[in-house]
């Protein structure tokens, strides 16, 4: 049985995916027996990049919230409900010790469900201005890892940990110490 079970969720762009992979790699370096599961949005870049990095990924049928009136806006509540149901099954079946959200549509339902099921949640915000998903999840997160100073403008100061931006080069550098 693994000593640590972690879900890493989010994606949509390389700016979310590659820090997520770097986080998973760092966890594996410290806890080689850790079991890591990624959860992303079906049809997005993470569904190719994460398996190419050697990790398992499950997809949610989630889309972003359209900011203009369109048919996509009307489909959003139904996709959100379906994603919440799928996320609940993923969390129940995988039984993680912690869920890490890196931003992007898929991290919303997954971290919301994980938190409700008593799983510790951690956010990673790699931008100087946080996205909507991380802003919505911040209140219930246990810790919020940020890349920039002064993020207490957006998040509760007592939850913030200044970690910088997780990238593959940093993980290699840490391993070399």
């Amino acid at each position: 049985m693994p000593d640590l079970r972690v879900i890493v969720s989010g994606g949509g762009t390389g700016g979310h995916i590659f820090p997520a992979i770097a986080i998973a790699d760092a966890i594996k370096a410290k806890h080689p027996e850790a079991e890591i599961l990624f959860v992303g949005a079906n049809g997005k870049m993470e569904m190719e990049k994460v398996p190419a990095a050697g990790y398992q990924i499950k997809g949610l049928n989630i889309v972003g919230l359209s900011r203009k009136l369109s048919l996509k806006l009307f489909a959003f509540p139904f996709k959100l409900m379906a994603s919440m149901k799928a996320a609940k099954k993923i969390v129940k079946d995988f039984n993680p010790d912690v869920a890490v959200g890196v931003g992007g549509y898929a991290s919303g339902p997954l971290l919301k469900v994980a938190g409700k099921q008593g799983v510790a949640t951690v956010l990673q915000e790699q931008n100087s201005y946080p996205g909507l998903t991380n802003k919505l999840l911040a209140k219930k997160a246990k810790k919020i890892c940020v890349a920039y100073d002064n993020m207490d403008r957006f998040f509760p100061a007592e939850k913030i940990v200044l970690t910088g931006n997780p990238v593959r080069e940093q993980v290699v550098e840490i391993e070399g110490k």
Side-chain angles (χ1 to χ4, degrees):
M1 177 137 185
D3 64 341
L4 182 63
R5 297 173 68 82
V6 180
I7 291 180
V8 180
S9 185
T13 68
H16 295 296
I17 298 163
F18 296 115
I21 291 170
I23 290 167
D25 288 346
I27 292 168
K28 283 298 239 182
K30 191 168 184 173
H31 301 274
E33 298 301 315
E35 192 170 339
I36 299 173
L37 174 66
F38 280 77
V39 177
N42 283 327
K44 295 295 183 178
M45 183 191 307
E46 60 265 28
M47 300 310 285
E48 292 178 18
K49 298 296 182 187
V50 168
Y55 295 101
Q56 180 187 5
I57 187 167
K58 294 192 180 263
L60 299 177
N61 288 322
I62 188 71
V63 295
L65 181 59
S66 178
R67 305 204 200 261
K68 60 183 177 183
L69 192 59
S70 70
L71 288 177
K72 288 181 182 180
L73 182 62
F74 293 108
F76 178 78
F78 300 103
K79 289 193 179 249
L80 179 61
M81 286 188 303
S83 292
M84 295 290 285
K85 183 177 178 183
K88 187 174 183 178
K89 180 171 177 17
I90 290 168
V91 171
K92 183 178 183 239
D93 291 349
F94 189 74
N95 192 27
D97 297 298
V98 64
V100 180
V102 297
Y105 317 140
S107 65
L110 194 286
L111 265 73
K112 183 83 168 164
V113 165
K116 281 187 175 183
Q117 291 188 15
V119 175
T121 61
V122 176
L123 299 179
Q124 191 274 322
E125 180 54 65
Q126 63 278 353
N127 300 307
S128 61
Y129 187 83
L132 178 62
T133 303
N134 276 355
K135 284 197 265 186
L136 292 172
L137 294 169
K139 186 175 181 181
K140 300 285 184 178
K142 185 170 181 130
K143 292 288 178 190
I144 304 167
C145 301
V146 299
Y148 298 96
D149 288 319
N150 302 317
M151 294 300 283
D152 55 350
R153 299 175 297 158
F154 307 107
F155 301 126
E158 67 277 4
K159 293 183 179 187
I160 293 175
V161 179
L162 182 62
T163 58
N165 227 341
V167 293
R168 286 170 276 189
E169 291 78 22
Q170 288 174 318
V171 175
V172 172
E173 189 175 301
I174 291 168
E175 290 175 347
K177 286 187 178 179

